[in-house]
Amino acid sequence: GNSVTQMEGPVTLSEEAFLTINCTYTATGYPSLFWYVQYPGEGLQLLLKATKADDKGSNKGFEATYRKETTSFHLEKGSVQVSDSAVYFCALSWAGNTGKLIFGQGTTLQVKP
Amino acid sequence: SQTIHQWPATLVQPVGSPLSLECTVEGTSNPNLYWYRQAAGRGLQLLFYSVGIGQISSEVPQNLSASRPQDRQFILSSKKLLLSDSGFYLCAWSDGTGLYEQYFGPGTRLTVT
């Protein structure tokens, strides 16, 4: 079946460091891919998305590219801030699935000043 | 614009007591609705989803049930809570078309004592 695998956390970085959070997926057909962010005590917010191969989603300095050849959707940011500390979830959905999302297990990011 | 509400925000209930969590969406019609549970330090587990009034699909058999009495209202219930029902409950909606991205509410923190 379809699934999403994220790198295990926690990831601890210093402010202004480069961030990569790996996400790979298993899916038939052409899923849509998403990154969500969850700040402490809050619900999930959609961070970015991509709907077809080679699409690049971007938002708030974060970006991820839909790589069908490697079935990956890695999240990157060039310079993280303390305020980026949160849990990041990779997810996928596909047509005819009543909109259900398949989530990865989440990766906790902690940015230290 | 669309908004999603959940209440209560926090709840402490004894084992064996009933539960009712409510979720409402504004600014859209005929949304797909979802209930997730997030145990402490873990990922999201889809509990129920609904594509229309009175239409409920269960993903995981358990102590909980869901109902959709109105187009934009989704209720999560239990007749008798278990300790294992503790967690962070998130409601989400999608428009069921296009990219199937979901939008999440602020969540309800449930502690069963």
Side-chain angles (χ1 to χ4, degrees):
Chain A
N2 296 349
S3 65
V4 176
T5 302
Q6 290 181 232
M7 64 186 289
E8 289 191 20
V11 174
T12 303
L13 296 173
S14 298
E15 205 165 24
E16 299 184 1
F18 184 86
L19 168 70
T20 299
I21 299 178
N22 290 338
C23 171
T24 57
Y25 67 90
T26 301
T28 54
Y30 299 89
S32 295
L33 300 173
F34 308 89
W35 276 102
Y36 282 84
V37 58
Q38 185 180 31
Y39 298 102
E42 298 184 8
L44 275 70
Q45 299 176 25
L46 179 63
L47 183 59
L48 53 83
K49 61 190 180 188
T51 60
K52 59 183 186 295
D54 300 325
D55 265 4
K56 177 183 285 188
S58 61
N59 185 26
K60 299 181 181 180
F62 291 89
E63 58 182 34
T65 301
Y66 188 143
R67 301 285 189 199
K68 190 161 181 63
E69 64 275 14
T70 55
T71 62
S72 65
F73 193 54
H74 304 322
L75 182 68
E76 297 181 336
K77 186 175 185 182
S79 176
V80 293
Q81 306 300 311
V82 172
S83 57
D84 293 326
S85 298
V87 182
Y88 292 82
F89 292 93
C90 185
L92 69 81
S93 185
W94 64 99
N97 188 40
T98 63
K100 289 186 291 184
L101 287 172
I102 304 296
F103 283 92
Q105 66 268 40
T107 302
T108 300
L109 170 65
Q110 184 178 25
V111 180
K112 296 186 175 181
Chain B
S1 64
Q2 300 88 1
T3 55
I4 178 169
H5 304 279
Q6 286 186 245
W7 62 88
T10 60
L11 191 59
V12 180
Q13 292 284 95
V15 168
S17 62
L19 173 73
S20 180
L21 304 182
E22 189 166 344
C23 170
T24 58
V25 181
E26 297 177 354
T28 187
S29 59
N30 197 31
N32 287 354
L33 296 171
Y34 310 86
W35 276 112
Y36 292 88
R37 178 169 61 200
Q38 186 176 30
R42 303 184 67 177
L44 290 96
Q45 179 185 35
L46 178 63
L47 302 175
F48 302 94
Y49 69 94
S50 171
V51 299
I53 296 174
Q55 300 178 61
I56 308 295
S57 295
S58 174
E59 289 292 296
V60 181
Q62 56 200 312
N63 187 41
L64 302 169
S65 62
S67 62
R68 186 171 175 174
Q70 300 180 42
D71 181 46
R72 291 169 288 176
Q73 184 184 31
F74 204 24
I75 298 172
L76 183 69
S77 304
S78 173
K79 292 182 179 179
K80 288 186 178 181
L81 284 169
L82 305 172
L83 285 174
S84 58
D85 291 323
S86 293
F88 193 46
Y89 288 81
L90 290 160
C91 181
W93 73 274
S94 72
D95 66 7
T97 61
L99 300 177
Y100 301 113
E101 59 209 67
Q102 292 182 18
Y103 301 94
F104 285 78
T108 295
R109 175 76 58 191
L110 171 66
T111 302
V112 182
T113 61

